[in-house]
Amino acid sequence: DGYWLQKGSDAITKVAIAQALKMISAAVTPERNVTLVDLGCGAGTALVTFCQNNSNRNGIGIDIDPKISEAAKQNIAHSGLQETVRIINADILAIDQWQKYIFQPNEIFFLASGVLHEFLKFGDDFVVRFLRNLKSLFPKSHFVLIEYDALDLEELKRTGDVERKLYAADYLLMHPFSAQGAPQSRDKWEQLFESAGWFLTESEAAPLPSHLVIFHYRAA
């Protein structure tokens, strides 16, 4: 069930998302016009946090689940941001369905929290092509990625970190049932983005025990 899968993902990534939004805010001055495009926006919480109290910011939220998209729209309306934030019920991969809503003169930040690994079920090249396409369509944009820093099975055998083993077991058990690609290591994400032509500006680990990493990439 995509709705409950999203609920679980929100619970795991909540702190990392707050950290990522601080990273974005530190990269732009308050008076600059900025658009946050949340790929897999869930209930729209990140968009509300980013856009409230700053009229120079707006947001686009994209989610494939109609129930989640409706919940996000209600959240945006309750926050009084209907004129600032737009929620689009669409597939992230169908860029042609949502790119027209993004005002290119604004500085654009894409945010993808725990969603990009899902497309690795189609292979590394598929994800690289998606990232290249995004870079080509939005040549001065930024991409903020939040993903789990996965260990391979041999590394898991050697580690004495029990919490790490439990988190890894949860991911390894859940993902085959939810038809997602497997989480990848920090090094693997850096290789994928480098292959797509994105430049790493900074990266930092989210607080333990989530073992999430936040990457800030720029297109040019």
Side-chain angles (χ1 to χ4, degrees):
D1 188 315
Y3 178 80
W4 292 108
L5 182 64
Q6 181 64 50
K7 285 285 188 181
S9 179
D10 285 348
I12 293 170
T13 61
K14 181 178 180 179
V15 173
I17 290 173
Q19 191 172 338
L21 294 179
K22 289 180 180 178
M23 181 185 288
I24 296 171
S25 295
V28 295
T29 54
E31 67 274 8
R32 279 155 74 182
N33 294 319
V34 180
T35 298
L36 178 66
V37 184
D38 193 348
L39 304 175
C41 65
T45 306
L47 293 165
V48 171
T49 301
F50 185 75
C51 294
Q52 63 186 357
N53 304 321
N54 191 324
S55 60
N56 294 320
R57 295 178 175 180
N58 60 70
I60 304 290
I62 304 160
D63 207 290
I64 196 170
D65 191 296
K67 286 195 294 184
I68 294 173
S69 297
E70 187 57 36
K73 289 177 182 178
Q74 292 176 9
N75 192 16
I76 298 304
H78 180 73
S79 302
L81 294 171
Q82 304 96 313
E83 302 300 319
T84 304
V85 178
R86 178 188 291 268
I87 302 298
I88 303 168
N89 179 210
D91 188 338
I92 293 168
L93 298 175
I95 300 177
D96 59 311
Q97 292 182 19
W98 51 262
Q99 69 173 103
K100 60 186 177 183
Y101 297 107
I102 300 175
F103 188 55
Q104 292 250 21
N106 282 9
E107 190 155 9
I108 300 165
F109 281 80
F110 293 99
L111 174 66
S113 175
V115 67
L116 203 58
H117 69 268
E118 296 183 17
F119 306 129
L120 287 170
K121 63 186 176 184
F122 303 121
D124 292 2
D125 290 343
F126 183 91
V127 172
V128 169
R129 286 195 301 272
F130 171 74
L131 292 171
R132 282 179 181 163
N133 193 18
L134 209 60
K135 180 177 181 289
S136 176
L137 291 169
F138 305 96
K140 295 183 180 180
S141 62
H142 303 252
F143 198 113
V144 177
L145 173 75
I146 302 174
E147 282 288 352
Y148 179 70
D149 182 13
L151 298 177
D152 64 31
L153 290 176
E154 288 302 316
E155 290 172 318
L156 282 173
K157 288 178 184 178
R158 294 193 297 269
T159 184
D161 187 337
V162 176
E163 290 283 352
R164 192 79 192 265
K165 286 180 182 289
L166 288 172
Y167 264 81
D170 178 55
Y171 271 96
L172 291 171
L173 177 65
M174 178 179 69
H175 283 72
F177 286 104
S178 54
Q180 299 177 79
Q184 302 297 314
S185 69
R186 186 172 188 159
D187 290 343
K188 180 59 176 255
W189 285 115
E190 291 181 1
Q191 291 170 13
L192 290 171
F193 272 80
E194 183 179 351
S195 296
W198 290 80
F199 302 95
L200 181 63
T201 299
E202 58 182 321
S203 64
E204 55 188 56
L208 295 175
S210 69
H211 298 286
L212 295 168
V213 181
I214 306 162
F215 305 86
H216 175 195
Y217 285 93
R218 57 183 176 82

